[in-house]
Each structure stands twice: as C-alpha cells, then as structure tokens.
Amino acid sequence: MAIELLPEPSIPIASPLRPRFGFFTSSPIIAVASLCLLLIIVMAILAPWIAPHDPMQLLPAQRLKPSSEKFLLGTDAYGRDVLSRIIYGGRISLLIGFGATVVSIAFGLLIGLFSGFFRWVDAILMRIMDGVMAIPSILLAIAVVSLSGASVATVLIAITIPEIPRVARLVRSVVLSAREEPYVEAAISVGSGLPKIMWRHLLPNTIAPLIVQGTNFCASAILTEAILSFLGAGISPETPTWGNIMAEGRAFFQVKPSLIFWPGLLLSIAILSVNLIGDAARDALDPRMKQREGGK
Amino acid sequence: MLGYLLRRVLAAIPVMGVVALVVFLLLRLTPGDPAAILAGDNASPAQLERIRASLGLNEPLYIQFFTWINKLLHGDLGVSLISNVPVLKMIGQRVEPSISIALATIIVSVVVAVPLGVIAAWKQGTWIDRFVMGLSVLGFSVPVFVIGYVLIQVFAIDLRWLPVQGFKSIANGFGPFLERLVLPTLALSFIYVALIARMTRASMLDVLGEDYVRTARAKGIGEIAVLFRHALRNAAVPVITVIGTGFALLISGVVVTESVFNIPGIGRLTVDAVLARDYPVIQAMILLTSLLYVTVNLLIDVAYTLLDPRIRY
C-alpha cells in the first residue's frame, strides 16, 4: 500500500521545457528579440494608460496632420491620433497571434492523438486534413470572414481552421513513432487506461515539436490577421489594428507614407521576434536540427 | 511509372472531394439564412429569392450538393451574383497578370535563392552564412505589403525609375509589361527566396558531408563544379519539394500583391468578390487554386523520378 503513496515520478522531458530564463538570454539576437516582443506585449497591455489620445476619437479639423508635439506621429484621414492607434493595434495582433496558436494546437493535438492511436479513424481524418490543407489558407480565411461577418472571434476561427490539419499531422507523426516504443507497449500490457497512456506517455513527446510549430504559427497568425485587415476582410475598420491602419493609409500613401510604414515596422518587428525565438527554440529542443534548419 | 502516376492521380481525387465539400458546407453551415448573408442587410425578398434560385438553396442539402458537383464536373462554376457573368469567364479575363507575376516570382526566386543557399552551406558558420540566414528570417517576417510599399516609395516615388502601380498586358509591348512587373515580382519574391534559400542550405549541408563529394574534391574537380554538379544535383529533391509546398504561399502572396500594386488579376477579383459577398466567385477561386496546388505537387512528385533515378515507384 505504501507504494501507492509515493510521489509520481516526474516524466523526463527535454530540459529547455522547464522554465529557464537562460534560454532568452542565450544569444544577443535572442535577447534583443525577446526584449522587443516583451516591449510590444507591455505596450499592448498598458495601451489605455500610455496612449496619449483616444484611438477612436474623430477630430475632423485635424485630418492628416504631420508629426507634432500633440500628435507624435500625426493624424489619419479622420483626424485620429496615429500613435495611439498603433499602440492599441498591438492588442489585436497579439491576441489573435497567441489565441489562434492555442486554439489550433488544442484541436490539432486532439485530432492528431486520436488519429495516431486509432488506425480506424486515421484514414478518414487524414483525408479530411489533406483536403483542408490543399486550400490556400488566406483564401479559406477570407471566405470564412466574409460569410460570418467580421469580429475578433470570426477572424480567430478563420485563421485557426487552416492551421489545425498541420498541427494534427505533426502530432500524428510523433504519436505513430512513439507508440512503437517499448514504454508504450509496456504501459499497454500492464493495463494502463487509454487516457493515461495518452497523457503520460504520448503527450510529452509532442511538446517539443509543438513549441517549434506553435511559435512559427504564432508569427504567421499575426501576419495573416494583418493581411485580412489590409485586404478589408478583417476586423471592422474603425477598430485599431496594424492591418487596418495600413489599409486606411493606402489611399493616402503618396501624401502620408508614415501611415503605412510605422504600423508595418512594428508588425515586422513583432513577427521577426517571434520567428527568431521560434528558430532558437527549435535549435535548443532538437539538437539534430541545429545543423540543418529545414524548411517551414 | 505509369502505375504510380495513376495511383497518384487517384489519390488526388478524395483530396479534391474534401475541398469541394468544405467549400460547399462553408456557406450552408454558416449560421443564418445563406441567401440573406450573401445579399446583405437591406435586400428585398425578390433579391433573396433570386439568390436562392441561383444557388439552388431551396432543395434539400444532399440534392444541392450533387447538383452542384455535377455542374462542376461539367465545367460549370456558376454565375456571379453581382454581374451575372459566368465565373469561369470572369476568371479567364483576369488570369494573365496573376500568372505573369507568379511565374516571374518563381523564376526570380529560384535564380536568386538557390545560389544563396549553396554559398551559405559552402561557407557554413561564416558571416556570409549568417547574412544569408538573417536575410531569410527577415524575408519570412516582413509582410509582402510592407515590402511592396517600401519598394514603391524608393523605386517609383523617390527614384522615379518604375511606374507606381498598374498592369499592362504583354500584348501592348514587352517594355511596358516588364516595367510594371518588376516591383510586384520583387516584393513577392522576398518570402519565396527566404523559403528556398533556407531549404537549399539545409539540403546542401546534408549532402556536402557525403563520400562522393569528398571523392569529387579528391579528384581535383573545381569547387564550383563540385558544388553545383555533384552536390546540388543530389540536394535538389527537398528544394523542389519546398517550391511545391510554397506554392500555397505564392497564391496568398499574389492576392496581397495585386491589392498593393492595383493589378487587375484574379487576386483582386477574389478580394472584390469577398467584399461584395459574391460567393460563386469565392468558391470557384478556392476550388481552382486548390486544384492548382494539388496538381503542382503531383507533378513535383512525378518529377522526382526524373531528377533522382534512385527513386523508383
């Protein structure tokens, strides 16, 4: 009986998964990227306190003003303060980026685990995944948004759907190789329940590849949200998002190019930081990849 | 070989079937009356009825599906809800700019990215390698519309070397056609160059350690010949694969680039259709681009056997 009271042995998983601050300062580039991302996150969270003006306030008398002391980056075509809109815009980008990543991983993980473990659903599920993957993700996303109307939730769903098959495929491939391992066989033969096998033996194997895939997707989700807004198929135009600010700036590009460049710069820095952290995470989690840095 | 080709074509059919099902269900499963979604808030009952009749929305779901598939297989992609023009005709009229940009991008990207990747692998760990890899991360991160506007600002507005926007058909002469193709192609090439250069470098690194490369060097063959004749040929398969999988990226890129440069191609057609909720056009575009993607990747699989005689099916 005493045996059952012993603490559960911890699962040995790749060490960088434990919260280690060292990873973020492992190279100067990663340190700068982490700092940039942190600053953008802080800026987005603190937006109501640090933005100098209300991002939605229309001042028709102040249309397209150049930079001044009152409006540091000038105003847009409706007289709204550009700096405040950019500061608020980060909120949507990050929300969509992180939100879409979490949701797509949750669904992809579930489908992938089942598909890898149960051969009978595998064939059907994977054919469906192949089909969804064949549709260019931007087209699928704008179709979903145009049909269901533009809200943060729809945009999130629209960006998530095309990514789920990619996560599912990744998890499935990990599960397929892990389930052949002796420890899984042993777990099955001692009569471990299915949830326990999945949770304790299969899931930990998927964490490292999912972190890498997740960061890459987070970057591309931020990008896709901006593209949707830019094309006019995203969150409603009065909401400040980086893509929306640029979309409105298109008509005034020759008069006031900064309407496109400032949000574009911030967007690029955010995506670049996430990508760099993702690349470093891959090197740290999978030493075999250090040499090759394969395709995305 | 023929058997393999047949198997691959057969395997593509269920994929396209799922694509068709997704496209079909997308409109029908969206909460609310599909006709009302497409017509907008202030549509008259007559308008709604016209849309229902045009899309067959009054039939039971499975009949709708089979009628629709039957039409598709006969090449009937429906009629635009806005202009009443057959969708296939609309696409046909706008396909030239998009194909021009896509082809030019693939050519430019391969010509630039493959040598970059080879050099980066050859000089692994040096500043050249780091520079190429840095450029590639940058290419992944800077959105195509940001690059597009930077290029417009520098080359069209400041330097006045090239026109700002627009497109001229090749029928109006090669000069004006090329002039307007340069900036969109450059903008779109960035991400593709990043993708291909990365893969070329990775694949070359795998190959450069092989015995036959050492043998080639030991025989006294020049380094350039070793790299491009002996190593690159063996490293080609993953590079070709990534060109195929990157094709989806290219399609999305064309949609955005056409909006930045005001090019009347099928990307703009799609965006305009989305803004007007012209669903027959949207669904036709999704079907056609998916078919294109599946076909390109099928051809690439077949091309492996030509590139690498070791691969036999």
Side-chain angles (χ1 to χ4, degrees):
Chain A
M1 285 300 111
I3 290 168
E4 282 180 14
L5 295 173
L6 282 175
E8 297 258 303
S10 65
I11 307 155
I13 41 181
S15 57
L17 294 177
R18 298 197 187 108
R20 263 200 343 189
F21 184 69
F23 167 73
F24 293 102
T25 52
S26 54
S27 86
I29 293 179
I30 303 308
V32 171
S34 310
L35 188 70
C36 286
L37 192 63
L38 192 70
L39 283 177
I40 292 175
I41 293 173
V42 169
M43 179 192 85
I45 294 174
L46 297 182
W49 293 278
I50 55 175
H53 297 271
D54 176 358
M56 317 280 262
Q57 190 189 17
L58 308 170
L59 293 169
Q62 306 282 338
R63 296 178 70 238
L64 293 170
K65 289 274 184 246
S67 303
S68 64
E69 248 172 62
K70 189 166 179 224
F71 304 105
L72 275 178
L73 294 179
T75 58
D76 69 5
Y78 300 94
R80 295 173 296 200
D81 178 42
V82 174
L83 178 64
S84 304
R85 285 182 76 73
I86 291 176
I87 291 175
Y88 269 92
R91 295 190 138 193
I92 301 283
S93 292
L94 295 179
L95 183 72
I96 300 271
F98 293 127
T101 308
V102 171
V103 177
S104 67
I105 285 183
F107 280 95
L109 194 62
L110 210 64
I111 297 175
L113 278 177
F114 272 89
S115 196
F117 208 80
F118 299 108
R119 308 301 313 189
W120 50 275
V121 287
D122 185 45
I124 302 167
L125 277 178
M126 284 303 123
R127 289 296 81 70
I128 297 175
M129 297 294 122
D130 283 348
V132 177
M133 272 167 76
I135 303 175
S137 48
I138 293 273
L139 290 188
L140 186 54
I142 55 178
V144 170
V145 177
S146 78
L147 288 176
S148 342
S151 70
V152 176
T154 353
V155 170
L156 192 86
I157 294 171
I159 295 175
T160 305
I161 292 174
E163 177 66 10
I164 291 175
R166 293 176 174 85
V167 177
R169 276 215 164 272
L170 179 74
V171 172
R172 172 183 174 269
S173 69
V174 173
V175 170
L176 279 183
S177 63
R179 56 174 276 163
E180 302 300 323
E181 297 282 336
Y183 58 82
V184 177
E185 228 173 288
I188 296 174
S189 55
V190 299
S192 290
L194 191 66
K196 190 175 177 188
I197 293 175
M198 283 196 174
W199 181 255
R200 284 286 305 275
H201 303 290
L202 296 178
L203 199 63
N205 285 295
T206 64
I207 293 175
L210 278 181
I211 287 181
V212 176
Q213 173 89 358
T215 35
N216 281 333
F217 173 60
C218 181
S220 79
I222 295 175
L223 179 60
T224 310
E225 185 279 319
I227 290 177
L228 290 181
S229 296
F230 181 78
L231 293 176
I235 296 160
S236 63
E238 65 268 22
T239 311
T241 76
W242 292 337
N244 275 343
I245 303 170
M246 284 186 270
E248 282 163 11
R250 279 165 67 186
F252 309 98
F253 178 65
Q254 308 236 13
V255 191
K256 196 170 166 40
S258 64
L259 277 178
I260 288 193
F261 290 135
W262 284 112
L265 182 70
L266 233 65
L267 179 65
S268 307
I269 291 175
I271 298 171
L272 185 64
S273 305
V274 177
N275 270 335
L276 285 170
I277 293 171
D279 281 3
R282 185 190 48 210
D283 292 348
L285 293 171
D286 187 355
R288 277 167 305 171
M289 293 295 286
K290 194 150 196 155
Q291 285 260 307
R292 4 180 321 143
E293 309 198 11
K296 296 203 164 185
Chain B
M1 181 68 201
L2 210 65
Y4 169 70
L5 196 65
L6 198 70
R7 273 205 309 281
R8 276 307 318 261
V9 173
L10 286 178
I13 293 175
V15 173
M16 283 315 295
V18 172
V19 172
L21 195 64
V22 169
V23 170
F24 175 80
L25 289 177
L26 212 55
L27 176 64
R28 273 80 180 178
L29 290 187
T30 306
D33 174 12
I37 292 171
L38 296 178
D41 295 333
N42 35 19
S44 66
Q47 266 177 307
L48 292 181
E49 199 42 53
R50 194 177 63 82
I51 290 179
R52 282 204 196 98
S54 160
L55 294 175
L57 291 173
N58 293 324
E59 306 285 331
L61 210 57
Y62 69 96
I63 293 187
Q64 285 183 37
F65 184 68
F66 287 112
T67 322
W68 180 66
I69 288 282
N70 188 32
K71 277 190 184 171
L72 277 187
L73 293 176
H74 288 89
D76 178 3
L77 285 171
V79 174
S80 160
L81 293 177
I82 308 291
S83 62
N84 269 325
V85 178
V87 173
L88 215 53
K89 196 176 161 200
M90 291 172 81
I91 293 174
Q93 288 165 345
R94 317 260 305 240
V95 86
E96 188 201 336
S98 307
I99 290 187
S100 312
I101 297 175
L103 276 182
T105 301
I106 294 182
I107 295 169
V108 169
S109 306
V110 171
V111 168
V112 174
V114 170
L116 275 182
V118 169
I119 293 170
W122 184 42
K123 295 280 179 195
Q124 193 205 352
T126 64
W127 66 268
I128 300 178
D129 181 22
R130 277 199 292 274
F131 176 75
V132 172
M133 291 315 285
L135 212 64
S136 134
V137 182
L138 212 62
F140 274 120
S141 306
V142 184
V144 57
F145 48 92
V146 176
I147 298 175
Y149 280 110
V150 171
L151 290 177
I152 291 179
Q153 178 72 40
V154 174
F155 293 101
I157 295 177
D158 292 344
L159 294 172
R160 294 179 182 280
W161 287 355
L162 293 160
V164 176
Q165 287 172 325
F167 180 81
K168 280 261 162 69
S169 167
I170 197 163
N172 298 332
F174 192 67
F177 165 77
L178 194 68
E179 215 174 44
R180 284 168 180 80
L181 204 61
V182 173
L183 291 184
T185 302
L186 280 183
L188 192 49
S189 297
F190 261 78
I191 189 163
Y192 227 35
V193 167
L195 190 72
I196 299 172
R198 227 170 212 257
M199 196 37 116
T200 309
R201 174 183 178 274
S203 182
M204 282 293 284
L205 282 179
D206 278 352
V207 166
L208 281 177
E210 295 285 339
D211 289 343
Y212 52 79
V213 171
R214 201 178 46 203
T215 308
R217 283 192 177 132
K219 281 198 298 185
I221 296 174
E223 198 60 27
I224 303 274
V226 169
L227 285 176
F228 284 88
R229 260 219 314 269
H230 295 255
L232 185 59
R233 272 195 184 183
N234 286 292
V237 167
V239 177
I240 306 280
T241 310
V242 86
I243 295 176
T245 51
F247 200 74
L249 226 67
L250 188 68
I251 293 171
S252 314
V254 167
V255 174
V256 180
T257 311
E258 288 182 0
S259 278
V260 173
F261 290 93
N262 243 331
I263 294 167
I266 53 173
R268 273 294 295 284
L269 181 70
T270 315
V271 174
D272 291 346
V274 164
L275 298 181
R277 297 198 174 164
D278 194 351
Y279 198 66
V281 178
I282 303 174
Q283 85 185 6
M285 280 306 300
I286 293 182
L287 284 172
L288 289 179
T289 48
S290 306
L291 183 65
L292 199 64
Y293 177 77
V294 170
T295 313
V296 164
N297 281 289
L298 194 141
L299 290 177
I300 281 175
D301 272 6
V302 175
Y304 290 162
T305 50
L306 305 175
L307 275 169
D308 192 340
R310 283 170 305 185
I311 299 177
R312 286 267 170 268
Y313 298 101

